[in-house]
Amino acid sequence: MSDPDEAIDWQGCAVSCEACPERGIPGLKCEPLHACMHDRYAKRVDRFFRWNPQIAKDYLQHGYFEVRACAARYADIFHLPALMNDPDETVRWAVAQRLPQRYLLRMIHDPHREVRIRVAARLDERNLPAMMHDADYYVRLEVVRRLPKGLLPLMMHDSDVEVRRVVAKRIGVDALVKMLQDDDPGVRLDAIERVPVSILSTLIDDADWRIRYEVAARGSREAVIRLLADEDYEVRRCAAERLGKGEPFSRQRLPGEDELWPV
């Protein structure tokens, strides 16, 4: 989308270059309808501070939140801690992108989810456990994507399915076996793709046909024989192909399958 073809300030008044108080700043770079800190259009404000980062620190207390947020992206970091409690989440989000770790930890309980998501994306791994129980599922999702694998078992019973699915894709195999009992079939499906072949037979009676299909495709001979009578056609077909009772099964072998009985 192109920029608006008018220059209006944050209070709804027309922007006047002649009355601009910044005109006297030595070396100032600006351009009407393109880079101006008085324009309410955020992209123009951002361009202004990108061109003039040396004065960004002087506008961190401006009345318009977009000016404060844009200035926070370019001001030196020594002035940013004062904005950690800014009343606008856009400003705090901009600050969270640049704050040093020792200050970032103070923002893990920010009232706005977008700010906490940004914090979780930047926080050192050693400090991530402090956000494992955040009230917002997407914050926890960001945490579990970066959490050291040794701590993932602490989140394997998270209340959100998407969080548990990420855990199932990253957690160590020893703990992964416990996730095969998860209430959600999607979580179990993510888990079964990584468990050793020897474990698969325990899932022969799983309620989800996709799980039983994986057992038929990779499980032991005894498990596959039992699945010949499965209620689902695709499971029965897969089992029959594994046993040579139908068309050859062309599924690509997975790691560890070379030791299975021949088809």
Side-chain angles (χ1 to χ4, degrees), residues 57-75:
K57 62 179 174 37
D58 300 325
Y59 296 86
L60 296 176
Q61 303 302 320
H62 193 275
Y64 184 34
F65 77 93
E66 289 287 13
V67 170
R68 300 197 305 276
C70 293
R73 298 187 184 108
Y74 300 97

Side-chain angles (χ1 to χ4, degrees), residues 167-220:
V167 174
K169 293 174 181 177
R170 296 191 60 223
I171 201 169
V173 174
D174 291 343
L176 179 63
V177 174
K178 298 178 181 178
M179 301 197 74
L180 295 173
Q181 307 303 319
D182 193 277
D183 292 336
D184 185 82
V187 176
R188 300 198 302 276
L189 192 61
D190 287 328
I192 198 174
E193 292 178 353
R194 298 179 53 224
V195 297
V197 171
S198 59
I199 303 294
L200 295 177
S201 60
T202 63
L203 298 169
I204 196 171
D205 296 317
D206 192 276
D208 193 280
W209 74 269
R210 296 170 298 174
I211 302 295
R212 302 195 305 277
Y213 186 94
E214 282 295 315
V215 178
R218 299 168 51 211
S220 67

Side-chain angles (χ1 to χ4, degrees), residues 147-162:
L147 197 67
K149 289 188 177 182
L151 296 177
L152 287 174
L154 297 176
M155 298 192 72
M156 62 191 296
H157 299 297
D158 190 272
S159 60
D160 186 81
V161 170
E162 292 305 314

Side-chain angles (χ1 to χ4, degrees), residues 33-104:
L33 297 177
H34 186 70
C36 176
M37 64 143 292
H38 293 290
D39 200 306
R40 68 184 178 187
Y41 188 50
K43 287 187 177 180
R44 293 172 182 168
V45 178
D46 186 81
R47 292 188 192 109
F48 175 85
F49 287 113
R50 190 190 317 156
W51 290 3
N52 304 281
Q54 73 280 5
I55 64 171
K57 62 179 174 37
D58 300 325
Y59 296 86
L60 296 176
Q61 303 302 320
H62 193 275
Y64 184 34
F65 77 93
E66 289 287 13
V67 170
R68 300 197 305 276
C70 293
R73 298 187 184 108
Y74 300 97
D76 60 77
I77 61 173
F78 302 106
H79 291 83
L80 298 185
L83 296 176
M84 289 192 297
N85 295 312
D86 189 276
D88 192 275
E89 66 272 11
T90 305
V91 179
R92 300 196 305 275
W93 188 90
V95 170
Q97 292 189 92
R98 301 187 60 216
L99 275 176
Q101 289 290 319
R102 66 180 182 277
Y103 291 107
L104 197 60

